[in-house]
C-alpha cells in the first residue's frame, strides 16, 4: 500500500518509527510467508468468538433465561462489563509492549488470554441469570481483547511497510470468515438457498447452546497454539527495558489528538463505520424475529444464511479492493466510498422491511464493509504515534473496533426501546456516514 509521508520525514525514519522497527532482527522471508496463513487463522478464531457468541449464543441464552426475545435483557447482558472489556485492548497492549521473554513480547499474552478466555467461555455456558450472563460475557470480552491486542500488534512488529496493504486485507478477512464459521457451525444454512438439499451445517442445533461455547473455546486455544508455534515471535529479552511507573503506565493510555491528529481522526472514523455495521448485525436475530416476522422454526437458518451472504460479499470486495488500492496508491477514497455505500445500504431494509430487503442489505452492506476492511488496517498502522508502543497504540485504536462490537447490542437496545426496530437503520446509517467523512481529516495518509 502506498502512502504519502510528511514532507520533513525521511521514508526510512517514518517507517521505523510508525511500523515499530525496533525489534532485534528483520523478519525472514520464510517466517513472513507463514504469517500469511497463521495471522488470518488466528483472527478467524477471534471473530468466530465475537459473532458466534454475540449473534447466536448470547441472544439464545437470553431467550432461554427469560423465556422471551427480551431486548432489554439482551441489552443488559451486553452492557454489564462492557467498559471493562473495552479497556482490555490498551491495557494488554501496553503490557505486551513491556514484556521481555524468550517467546517474545506478544506470544505469552496470546497464549495466556486464549486459555483464560476458554475457561471464561466455559463458565459463561452455565450462566443461569442475566446478571451472571452479563458478568461472564464482560470477563470473556476483557480477556479476549488482550488476545486481540497482542495479535494485532504483530502487523507493525513483523510486517514490512510495503506489505501493509496485503496484510491489512488478510487481517480484515477474519471478520467475514469468522462470521461464516459461526453461521455454519451454530445456525446452519438452508441448502435450498444454494440449490442443495437439507441444511448446510447447523448440526441439528448441537452447538446452539453449551456445546457452542466449548467449540469456540477449543478453536481459540488451537488457533493461539498454532500461531505461536508456526509463526514464533522473536526473543525479546535483549530489547531495552523501561523502569515501570504506574503513573506513566496510566498516562500512556492517553494519545493526544492535538499532537497526533491523524491518530485521533482515524480512531473516530473507525468508530463510526464499525458502529454503523454492528448496530444492525448484532441484533440480527431479534430483528428478524420481531420486525421481519421470520417464523421461529426458520429463524436460525435464516440468520445463518444472511450472515453467510454478508460474509461472502465482504470477502469478494476485500480481495478485489486490496490490489486495486495498492495500484492506485491511495487509501482514503476507499474508506470514504465504503462508508457512504454502507449508509446507503442501510436504507434498503427501511424501504423494504422484508426478508428480501434484509438480503439486499446484507449484499450491499457486505460489499461496502469488504472495501473498508481491505484498507482499514493499512491506514491505522500508518498513523501510529510511536513504533515501540505499537501494542498499546493499536490497543487504544482497537477500542474503535472492539468497542462497537461490545456496545452495539446495548445501543441497539436503547434505540429499539425509544423508536422501534425501524429506527435502527437510519441511526446506523448516520454513524457510518459520519465515520466515513472523518477519514477526510487524516492528513498524513493519501
Amino acid at each position: 500500500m502506498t502512502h504519502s509521508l510528511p514532507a520533513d520525514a525521511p521514508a526510512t525514519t517514518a517507517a521505523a518509527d510508525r511500523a515499530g522497527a525496533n525489534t532485534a532482527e528483520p523478519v525472514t522471508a520464510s517466517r513472513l510467508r507463514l504469517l500469511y496463513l497463521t495471522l488470518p487463522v488466528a483472527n478467524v478464531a477471534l471473530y468466530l468468538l465475537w459473532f458466534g457468541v454475540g449473534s447466536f449464543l448470547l441472544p439464545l441464552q437470553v431467550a432461554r433465561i427469560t423465556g422471551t426475545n427480551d431486548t432489554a435483557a439482551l441489552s443488559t447482558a451486553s452492557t454489564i462489563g462492557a467498559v471493562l472489556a473495552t479497556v482490555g485492548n490498551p491495557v494488554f497492549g501496553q503490557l505486551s509492549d513491556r514484556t521481555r521473554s524468550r517467546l517474545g513480547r506478544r506470544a505469552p499474552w496470546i497464549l495466556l488470554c486464549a486459555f483464560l478466555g476458554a475457561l471464561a467461555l466455559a463458565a459463561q455456558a452455565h450462566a443461569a441469570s442475566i446478571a451472571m450472563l452479563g458478568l461472564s460475557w464482560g470477563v470473556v470480552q476483557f480477556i479476549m481483547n488482550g488476545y486481540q491486542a497482542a495479535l494485532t500488534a504483530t502487523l507493525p512488529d513483523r510486517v514490512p511497510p510495503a506489505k501493509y496493504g496485503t496484510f491489512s486485507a488478510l487481517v480484515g478477512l477474519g471478520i467475514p470468515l469468522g462470521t461464516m464459521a459461526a453461521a455454519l457451525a451454530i445456525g446452519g444454512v438452508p441448502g435450498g438457498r444454494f440449490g442443495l438439499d437439507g441444511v448446510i451445517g447447523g448440526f441439528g442445533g448441537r452447538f446452539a447452546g453449551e456445546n457452542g461455547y466449548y467449540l469456540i473455546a477449543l478453536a481459540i486455544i488451537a488457533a493461539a497454539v498454532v500461531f505461536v508455534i508456526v509463526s514464533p515471535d522473536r526473543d525479546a529479552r535483549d530489547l531495552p527495558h523501561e523502569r515501570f511507573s504506574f503513573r506513566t503506565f496510566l498516562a500512556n493510555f492517553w494519545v493526544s489528538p492535538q499532537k497526533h491528529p491523524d491518530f485521533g481522526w482515524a480512531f473516530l472514523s473507525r468508530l463510526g463505520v464499525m458502529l454503523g455495521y454492528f448496530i444492525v448485525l448484532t441484533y440480527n436475530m431479534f430483528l428478524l424475529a420481531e420486525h421481519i416476522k421470520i417464523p421461529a422454526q426458520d429463524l436460525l437458518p435464516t440468520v445463518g444464511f444472511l450472515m453467510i451472504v454478508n460474509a461472502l460479499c465482504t470477502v469478494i470486495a476485500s480481495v478485489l479492493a486490496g490490489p486495486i488500492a495498492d495500484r492506485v496508491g491511495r487509501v482514503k477514497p476507499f474508506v470514504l466510498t465504503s462508508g457512504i455505500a454502507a449508509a446507503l445500504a442501510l436504507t434498503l431494509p427501511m424501504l423494504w422491511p422484508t426478508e428480501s430487503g434484509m438480503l439486499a442489505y446484507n449484499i450491499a452492506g457486505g460489499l461496502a464493509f469488504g472495501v473498508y476492511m481491505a484498507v482499514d488496517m493499512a491506514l491505522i498502522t500508518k498513523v501510529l504515534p510511536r513504533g515501540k508502543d505499537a501494542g498499546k497504540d493499536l490497543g487504544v485504536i482497537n477500542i474503535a473496533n472492539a468497542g462497537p462490537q461490545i456496545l452495539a447490542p446495548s445501543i441497539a437496545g436503547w434505540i429499539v426501546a425509544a423508536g422501534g426496530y425501524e429506527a435502527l437503520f437510519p441511526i446506523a446509517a448516520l454513524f457510518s456516514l459520519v465515520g466515513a467523512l472523518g477519514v477526510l481529516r487524516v492528513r498524513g495518509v493519501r
Side-chain angles (χ1 to χ4, degrees):
M1 191 74 63
T2 303
H3 303 278
S4 63
L5 294 167
D8 58 346
T12 53
T13 302
D17 184 45
R18 287 183 173 176
N22 60 317
T23 44
E25 56 182 315
V27 178
T28 63
S30 59
R31 286 192 176 185
L32 191 62
R33 282 194 294 269
L34 290 172
L35 204 60
Y36 279 102
L37 174 64
T38 56
L39 188 57
V41 168
N43 272 284
V44 168
L46 178 67
Y47 285 99
L48 170 61
L49 163 67
W50 295 141
F51 290 111
V53 176
S55 296
F56 286 100
L57 299 181
L58 192 66
L60 286 171
Q61 204 165 357
V62 166
R64 289 193 182 106
I65 292 171
T66 64
T68 63
N69 293 330
D70 192 334
T71 57
L74 178 59
S75 177
T76 299
S78 302
T79 301
I80 297 175
V83 173
L84 179 69
T86 303
V87 301
N89 238 300
V91 167
F92 283 104
Q94 186 167 181
L95 288 173
S96 69
D97 284 339
R98 291 177 169 273
T99 298
R100 302 292 181 264
S101 76
R102 185 179 64 81
L103 293 177
R105 294 186 293 173
R106 318 300 179 188
W109 295 102
I110 291 173
L111 289 174
L112 178 63
C113 290
F115 280 95
L116 290 179
L119 290 175
L121 280 168
Q124 184 176 340
H126 298 280
S129 68
I130 296 300
M132 287 304 300
L133 182 61
L135 180 60
S136 59
W137 183 221
V139 171
V140 169
Q141 291 173 102
F142 177 74
I143 294 170
M144 291 310 298
N145 269 278
Y147 172 99
Q148 184 170 19
L151 187 66
T152 305
T154 60
L155 181 62
D157 278 356
R158 307 193 205 179
V159 177
K163 298 291 185 180
Y164 279 171
T166 299
F167 275 89
S168 176
L170 289 174
V171 170
L173 287 177
I175 291 181
L177 294 180
T179 302
M180 292 171 65
L184 288 171
I186 301 173
V189 179
R193 305 271 190 171
F194 299 99
L196 302 172
D197 294 328
V199 177
I200 304 171
F203 305 99
R206 185 176 303 167
F207 297 109
E210 290 181 12
N211 289 338
Y213 284 107
Y214 303 145
L215 175 68
I216 293 171
L218 288 174
I220 288 289
I221 290 174
V225 171
V226 168
F227 182 82
V228 170
I229 292 176
V230 177
S231 294
D233 205 348
R234 297 173 223 158
D235 191 326
R237 289 174 292 182
D238 292 336
L239 292 179
H241 290 261
E242 293 184 16
R243 179 177 296 178
F244 180 79
S245 164
F246 188 68
R247 182 177 179 180
T248 302
F249 182 82
L250 292 178
N252 278 345
F253 289 118
W254 172 250
V255 179
S256 171
Q258 185 175 9
K259 293 181 180 178
H260 306 285
D262 282 356
F263 185 85
W265 283 111
F267 179 95
L268 292 175
S269 176
R270 176 186 272 200
L271 183 69
V273 172
M274 290 295 184
L275 269 175
Y277 183 74
F278 285 107
I279 280 176
V280 173
L281 185 63
T282 56
Y283 240 52
N284 240 359
M285 187 174 295
F286 284 4
L287 191 154
L288 289 168
E290 302 294 334
H291 184 59
I292 307 297
K293 307 298 183 184
I294 301 296
Q297 67 272 17
D298 298 329
L299 186 58
L300 275 179
T302 301
V303 173
F305 169 68
L306 292 177
M307 289 178 69
I308 290 287
V309 169
N310 186 289
L312 285 172
C313 291
T314 301
V315 170
I316 292 170
S318 182
V319 169
L320 292 176
I324 293 173
D326 278 332
R327 284 195 290 270
V328 172
R330 292 177 177 269
V331 175
K332 287 162 61 174
F334 290 87
V335 175
L336 182 63
T337 300
S338 63
I340 294 173
L344 292 174
L346 283 159
T347 65
L348 293 173
M350 290 169 53
L351 303 173
W352 195 7
T354 64
E355 185 178 345
S356 297
M358 288 298 293
L359 176 60
Y361 156 69
N362 276 277
I363 293 172
L367 291 170
F369 194 65
V371 173
Y372 180 80
M373 293 308 298
V375 297
D376 174 57
M377 273 304 298
L379 182 147
I380 294 301
T381 304
K382 281 293 185 181
V383 300
L384 295 180
R386 291 199 306 164
K388 72 172 187 174
D389 292 330
K392 183 268 294 182
D393 291 336
L394 281 169
V396 170
I397 211 160
N398 269 338
I399 293 174
N401 185 34
Q405 296 172 51
I406 295 163
L407 296 174
S410 303
I411 296 173
W414 300 330
I415 294 171
V416 171
Y421 284 97
E422 58 272 16
L424 286 174
F425 302 107
I427 293 177
L430 180 62
F431 277 124
S432 294
L433 189 59
V434 170
L437 294 176
V439 79
L440 294 175
R441 301 300 299 270
V442 178
R443 304 299 185 192
V445 179
R446 297 172 61 196

